[in-house]
Amino acid sequence: MRILIVNGPNLNFLGKREPEIYGNKSYDDLKNYLFDYAKNNNHYIEIYQSNHEGEIIDIIQNKYIEFDALIINPGAFTHYSYAIYDCLLSVNIKSLEVHLSDIYKREDFRKISVIKAACEKQFYGKGFESYIDAIKYLNEEV
Ligand code: DQA
């Protein structure tokens, strides 16, 4: 399967940012982990990261046609980006929402995902494994 993975702001600071929440591993560690898993399971993945809302939309619009599914962790944009929500509604691709942390056990503002309704399912609270669970789900569903 061909899976597009898009990460939002501050994910590039994994390992440096709030390690008690996001762990000690770096963004490169995350990418390598996902590339290894994909290779071992015969998936083709591309991984993008941007700190900019519009760039995230550009990546999805420019790339979605080449993929079977999208896994998106929009970072804090999850909680207020109607532009990313509209983008997900406008592209014809199965989308899954992923978070490293458990957004339901943190500050109240994180409990709201404005993109949730545009995604088939949410995966959260399991660190890197949240992404793996999303890939496994796709493997069963697509
Ligand atoms: C996050 C959760 C968001 O609330 C936060 O703004 C992030 C990361 C996660 O992966 O747990 O940047 O999406």
Side-chain angles (χ1 to χ4, degrees), residues 19-137:
E20 64 287 0
I21 293 171
Y22 298 111
N24 293 309
K25 296 207 171 119
S26 69
Y27 186 64
D28 277 347
D29 291 335
L30 172 63
K31 285 197 295 186
N32 289 334
Y33 190 68
L34 297 178
F35 281 129
D36 279 352
Y37 181 85
K39 197 175 162 200
N40 292 333
N41 290 277
N42 288 320
H43 298 306
Y44 173 81
I45 63 171
E46 288 183 19
I47 307 177
Y48 295 88
Q49 189 276 330
S50 175
N51 291 331
H52 306 279
E53 186 179 21
E55 199 176 337
I56 289 169
I57 292 167
D58 287 342
I59 292 164
I60 295 169
Q61 289 182 347
N62 291 333
K63 287 275 165 194
Y64 84 95
I65 203 82
E66 301 166 26
F67 291 86
D68 302 308
L70 166 70
I71 292 175
I72 181 162
N73 180 351
F77 288 141
T78 304
H79 314 298
Y80 65 94
S81 177
Y82 298 114
I84 293 176
Y85 173 64
D86 280 347
C87 172
L88 295 178
L89 290 181
S90 68
V91 292
N92 183 21
I93 187 168
K94 183 191 283 271
S95 302
L96 301 179
E97 177 183 349
V98 162
H99 302 284
L100 296 159
S101 65
D102 184 345
I103 54 172
Y104 297 102
K105 291 197 176 139
R106 300 181 62 195
E107 302 96 319
D108 281 346
F109 76 88
R110 295 188 204 275
K111 295 182 178 125
I112 308 281
S113 165
V114 303
I115 68 145
K116 185 178 177 190
C119 294
E120 188 165 308
K121 207 165 155 56
Q122 265 185 339
F123 298 85
Y124 55 85
K126 292 173 75 176
F128 290 5
E129 296 306 312
S130 298
Y131 290 82
I132 302 295
D133 285 355
I135 296 173
K136 284 182 181 162
Y137 173 85

